[in-house]
Amino acid sequence: MQIPLVSPSPCLPLFHSRPAVCYWAAALLAMFATSIPAADFPPADRLPSRPELPDPLVLLDGARVTSREAWEAKRKPELKALFQHYMYGRLPPTPTRQTYTELFRDEKALGGKATLSEVRINFEQPSLSHPVYVLFAVPNNVKRPPVFVGMNFCGNHTLLGDSRIHLPDIWCRNTCPGVVNERATDKGRGGQTDVWNIDLIIDRGCALACFYSGDIDPDTPDMTDGVGPAFYRPGQSTPEPDDAGTIMLWAWGFHRVVDFLEQSAKDQIDPRRIAVVGHSRNGKTALVAGAFDERIAVVIPLQSGCGGAAPSRTTDTRAESVRQINTSFPHWFCGNFKKFYDPVPPQVDARGKTVPPRREVVNQFSEKTNRLPFDQHCLIALCASRPVLLPNADEDLWANPSGQFEMLKAAAPVYKLLGAEALAENAKPEINQLIDSRLGYFLRPGKHAMARADWEIFLTYCDKFFR
Ligand code: GTR
């Protein structure tokens, strides 16, 4: 089976520390993604309430899409515009100028098996105060291998115990290895080796390009500490209701790493074989990144749950809801998304201190997700006909593994319309049975985590499409 080939990039070859000179094509694509005027969309409370899943092949005006051309020209841009307006916020434009600086390069890393380097992406236009660091590991015995692009929770230095890797000098979460008072320390080096498993990826003949989410936007409710404000209008100081939330900003970060691979590393890896991967909130992001960028050939959101591959219209009370996710993580989605549930008022404890609301309290407020003009099957469908694997864990009911399978089923008509293999099974498989069709699924035993066993599945799935 062949993977879909992206159209050849019109960009000139770029080398380290040279400015990117050819973003016009990507900028045009980005404009196309938002070409439906969002101002035409009604406010959430004027949308019709419908408990059933919106048909991915029916336009907002009720017209049915029956051809590839109509999908590409009408429904796909409409869905992109709807997701941006009501849920994730607008994808910021591609920078007009970014440069790449290699910070170190070791051609004999991992016992001689790999070339390890770290590259800093500098944003010059618009000028962003913070660069993105990409840890890049490429097997030495494979010519132009496929590459996984991943976003990590804790910093590149946690992937390998190597003192040359950049230590973040910005906010890091206190639960990450070696973090003291929200700052990374040397003690964290190599603390997540068994999450990213670079040795396994290299042994299986693939490369990894990994970056820290905090380089794009720290995972805090403060929207001023990341790249977001660089894209505000003159005079704007807070996000508009459809400005990008943190997940959309992170997805933009994935795209910048894809730029690097295409423009500066295309002799080292094959830019037609790029897979994106992330766990949980980073999995939600990987799915959004794939849906909005066709240079990405395979999409793997691991245990991505609500706001990722799980339905917003869920009746499963064990699974995270739209109201719960917005209450716990108000910064992940755009302002308009908060209109799809009744807000939970601030909770104050006996001493008058504001505290996070308890789950029982959050559950007392109603959901209005039936008004969403899409559900998450439409986000999966935006990847059509590229392979999308949804790996899950059987004890991770919060991420709604069964609901995610239903989303694959509901996305399948779009794959079929495009003449692609869709979902090979109609029922959720038993534990440890990989469904390796273009719409793929896997359920392993255990809890919410990314571990070596998950990578074995990612690699096996990708082998089928990348071979
Ligand atoms: C959970 C959250 C999920 C998921 C997860 C994670 O607490 O409710 O939506 O994103 O965190 O990222 O680990």
Side-chain angles (χ1 to χ4, degrees), residues 113-140:
K113 288 182 184 174
T115 297
L116 183 72
S117 59
E118 194 165 32
V119 170
R120 193 176 60 219
I121 305 181
N122 314 293
F123 301 106
E124 297 184 2
Q125 194 54 258
S127 124
L128 306 182
S129 55
H130 205 274
V132 172
Y133 294 82
V134 183
L135 187 66
F136 190 34
V138 184
N140 284 336

Side-chain angles (χ1 to χ4, degrees), residues 339-352:
K339 302 284 168 13
F340 292 94
Y341 61 95
D342 283 334
V344 183
Q347 304 292 303
V348 178
D349 70 8
R351 284 173 299 168

Side-chain angles (χ1 to χ4, degrees), residues 153 280-281 284 320 325 329 332 398 448:
F153 279 90
S280 205
R281 67 199 72 185
K284 306 178 206 299
E320 185 170 29
I325 202 169
F329 307 101
W332 284 358
W398 188 240
H448 190 68

Side-chain angles (χ1 to χ4, degrees), residues 418-439:
L418 302 185
E421 173 203 30
L423 182 60
E425 304 287 338
N426 224 5
K428 194 175 129 210
E430 297 295 311
I431 283 181
N432 286 334
Q433 299 293 311
L434 173 63
I435 298 185
D436 68 354
S437 40
R438 264 171 194 257
L439 290 171

